[in-house]
Amino acid sequence: MGKTRVARTGNEAMAEAIRQINPDVVAAYPITPATEVMQIFATYVADGLVDTELVPTESEHSAMSAAIGAQVAGARTMTATSSQGLALMYEMLYIAAGLRLPLIMAEVNRALSAPINIHCDHGDTMGGRDAGWIQIFSENSQEAYDNLIQAVRIAEHSDVLLPIMVTTDGFIISHAMEDIDIYSDGEVRDFIGTYKPLQPALDYKKPITVGSIDFVDYYFEHRRALAQAMSNAKNAILEVGREFGSKFGQEYGFYEAYKLDDAEVAMVCLGSTAGTGKDAVDNLRKRGIKAGLLKVRVFRPFPAEELAARLKDVPQICVLDRSDALAATGGPLYAELLAAMFEDRADHTVINRIYGLGGRDIKVGEIEELLSSQVSAAAGGKSIDRIGYLGVRE
Amino acid sequence: MKENINSWKDLPIGGIVDEPGTAMAYKTGDWRTLRPIHNSEKCINCLACWIYCPDSAIILKDGKVESIDLEHCKGCGICAHECPPKVKAIEMVDEADFR
């Protein structure tokens, strides 16, 4: 296996990955601090190093729309954005996911306005967390590069078929130069393979309709299938992470545990702060405090059971959120991790049912049945699914 | 043509409609509040209704109006409006009268 040790910023590393992936179409609009990804990639296009059709658009909404069109047509398609640019894509993010298009995005985390700010927080990515995109966070340039290569395989996995965003932290990773290992073009291309679209719209022998209307009769069922695809992404992420490890040396999973086994206190975070946190852990251990760290790599699908299991024996846990949910139950990572850990530690049984999507009616009898079955399960000492669906046709 | 798919597991991925001509299977008749009633004794078979119907719901047989496809007629009333005033072979009746 050919590895080359080079100095790259996060943006350069992502541009390098996109060059090696050699997508059929890239549609993008510049925005700080992600601009460089496309600026560098555009030179690769101009120099004839890739076969990509690069579509410069007039806005991020248009960039995502063009990307969706290209992917529907049957092209492997990528884009890059940040902050307000991602926010301008929100409408189309949901459409890419609902249409089950394995689009790939390089996302550089940056705070949202107002006030205007170009530096890092995770508020932009968190705004799209329920849009149906797989979300992978990177600690450094190496992970940004590795994650983007794996993203192709995860998104296009036949059990998944979902769009995916790989994020770095604005300036902290995007503009900081680090030593990273770059793999050979041939090995990367072998690893990602050829894109075989499920039903390309340009296949005139099999005409299809894309984006048709879906009322109370089927909308909930389509959303249920979307949720299943996101759930299936968990296995695909592990499978691709293992294969990546056997080919390139570094295996990837849902999280990285650092000095966690005997930890009396552990910090949990996303992205580049894990690097800072590891130094803090080392310093604390020198001071006699058994500190540890859990870096969450995958935020969507949220690996709830796995994270809860890994932190089961840690008595003190501190979750660091680089985005504010504004008078919610803490930041999003805290809220979701707490929910994941609650089940084993709570005196109450709190269950959740997703209902009524797309206007699906909820009936008095259904609520009675649900609550009475919860009560009788408790009385009979039986378990009841904690999270599930109400009113979807199974 | 697949009709009335029940489980979410059986739906085409991404809500794709994977064959052409499926609008026939999508019944829009229950959107209607007014039902067109065709009187074949008054009808002169000028076919103005057939030309103007936006849902192709006027059914012809041998060049004459035979019936109205109530599974697709949305009750817009264009047929009754276009029917010549001297003929008035189509009357719009409140759908509630049939329930």
Side-chain angles (χ1 to χ4, degrees), chain A residues 161-231:
Chain A
L161 295 171
L162 284 178
I164 186 165
M165 59 179 82
V166 170
T167 78
T168 63
D169 285 353
F171 293 105
I172 301 163
I173 304 174
S174 68
H175 287 65
M177 195 162 281
E178 295 175 287
D179 280 355
I180 69 168
D181 288 325
I182 300 281
Y183 320 116
S184 75
D185 290 1
E187 282 171 312
V188 171
R189 282 170 196 175
D190 279 353
F191 182 78
I192 62 170
T194 312
Y195 177 47
K196 296 181 192 72
L198 190 67
Q199 283 172 304
L202 291 186
D203 183 354
Y204 66 89
K205 287 176 185 162
K206 290 182 192 164
I208 58 167
T209 304
V210 178
S212 52
I213 202 165
D214 202 4
F215 281 144
V216 292
D217 46 2
Y218 285 106
Y219 181 88
F220 200 173
E221 280 66 36
H222 277 121
R223 299 305 288 188
R224 177 66 188 86
L226 180 64
Q228 189 62 47
M230 187 59 87
S231 180

Side-chain angles (χ1 to χ4, degrees), chain A residues 75-91:
Chain A
R76 181 183 268 162
T77 308
M78 297 185 72
T79 188
T81 195
S82 184
S83 185
Q84 305 303 121
L86 182 64
L88 191 49
M89 287 180 176
Y90 281 162
E91 180 192 2

Side-chain angles (χ1 to χ4, degrees), chain A residues 58 91 144 146 190 201 220 254 262 275 288 325 328 345 357 389 392:
Chain A
E58 75 277 25
E91 180 192 2
D146 291 352
D190 279 353
F220 200 173
F254 297 134
D262 63 341
R345 303 183 181 205
L357 301 191
Y389 290 85
V392 75

Side-chain angles (χ1 to χ4, degrees), chain A residues 208-209 218 221-222 393-394, chain B residues 4-9 17:
Chain A
I208 58 167
T209 304
Y218 285 106
E221 280 66 36
H222 277 121
R393 291 192 300 273
E394 289 294 339
Chain B
N4 300 320
I5 296 168
N6 211 30
S7 169
W8 61 265
K9 301 178 192 83
V17 180

Side-chain angles (χ1 to χ4, degrees), chain A residues 16-330:
Chain A
E16 177 70 4
I18 301 171
R19 183 190 67 75
Q20 293 185 314
I21 292 164
N22 192 14
D24 300 311
V25 175
V26 166
Y29 185 85
I31 183 165
T32 302
T35 302
E36 247 185 348
V37 177
M38 278 304 134
Q39 186 184 324
I40 297 163
F41 183 72
T43 66
Y44 298 153
V45 175
D47 292 346
L49 301 179
V50 287
D51 306 308
T52 307
E53 181 75 27
L54 179 62
V55 188
T57 54
E58 75 277 25
S59 77
E60 286 85 355
H61 188 280
S62 303
M64 184 46 61
S65 301
I68 287 169
Q71 193 85 43
V72 163
R76 181 183 268 162
T77 308
M78 297 185 72
T79 188
T81 195
S82 184
S83 185
Q84 305 303 121
L86 182 64
L88 191 49
M89 287 180 176
Y90 281 162
E91 180 192 2
M92 306 313 295
L93 293 184
Y94 286 80
I95 293 172
L99 296 178
R100 304 286 301 279
L101 303 174
L103 274 168
I104 304 146
M105 180 195 293
E107 214 289 313
V108 182
N109 289 302
R110 168 188 147 183
L112 289 165
S113 301
I116 289 185
N117 181 303
I118 58 167
H119 292 282
C120 175
D121 77 31
H122 297 160
D124 53 352
T125 295
M126 286 301 162
R129 70 177 186 259
D130 298 334
W133 283 62
I134 296 165
Q135 295 183 321
I136 297 186
F137 284 76
S138 317
E139 182 188 327
N140 49 42
S141 296
Q142 182 73 62
E143 289 191 4
Y145 172 74
D146 291 352
N147 284 337
L148 211 44
I149 292 167
Q150 291 171 72
V152 181
R153 288 278 305 278
I154 295 165
E156 294 173 5
H157 195 288
S158 60
D159 295 338
V160 180
L161 295 171
L162 284 178
I164 186 165
M165 59 179 82
V166 170
T167 78
T168 63
D169 285 353
F171 293 105
I172 301 163
I173 304 174
S174 68
H175 287 65
M177 195 162 281
E178 295 175 287
D179 280 355
I180 69 168
D181 288 325
I182 300 281
Y183 320 116
S184 75
D185 290 1
E187 282 171 312
V188 171
R189 282 170 196 175
D190 279 353
F191 182 78
I192 62 170
T194 312
Y195 177 47
K196 296 181 192 72
L198 190 67
Q199 283 172 304
L202 291 186
D203 183 354
Y204 66 89
K205 287 176 185 162
K206 290 182 192 164
I208 58 167
T209 304
V210 178
S212 52
I213 202 165
D214 202 4
F215 281 144
V216 292
D217 46 2
Y218 285 106
Y219 181 88
F220 200 173
E221 280 66 36
H222 277 121
R223 299 305 288 188
R224 177 66 188 86
L226 180 64
Q228 189 62 47
M230 187 59 87
S231 180
N232 294 348
K234 285 178 71 175
N235 277 337
I237 288 163
L238 293 180
E239 185 186 316
V240 172
R242 271 194 300 270
E243 197 184 318
F244 188 88
S246 65
K247 192 168 173 87
F248 298 110
Q250 177 63 53
E251 189 175 320
Y252 285 88
F254 297 134
Y255 59 80
E256 181 195 344
Y258 183 76
K259 300 189 178 175
L260 197 60
D261 289 340
D262 63 341
E264 59 181 326
V265 59
M267 70 170 269
V268 181
C269 68
L270 297 159
S272 64
T273 305
T276 316
K278 287 171 188 172
D279 277 0
V281 164
D282 291 347
N283 291 342
L284 287 164
R285 286 201 170 245
K286 281 179 203 155
R287 288 166 47 192
I289 297 172
K290 285 185 187 165
L293 181 146
L294 188 85
K295 175 182 78 188
V296 179
R297 173 182 178 240
V298 179
F299 191 73
R300 282 290 181 274
F302 192 71
E305 290 160 24
E306 292 80 1
L307 296 178
R310 192 66 185 81
L311 289 165
K312 201 173 190 320
D313 300 322
V314 184
Q316 298 295 325
I317 297 163
C318 173
V319 182
L320 295 183
D321 264 290
R322 201 165 198 146
S323 58
D324 192 1
L326 305 175
T329 318

Side-chain angles (χ1 to χ4, degrees), chain B residues 78-92:
Chain B
I78 290 174
C79 55
H81 184 267
E82 295 302 329
C83 188
K86 289 180 183 171
V87 180
K88 288 194 173 178
I90 297 176
E91 185 191 0
M92 301 305 291

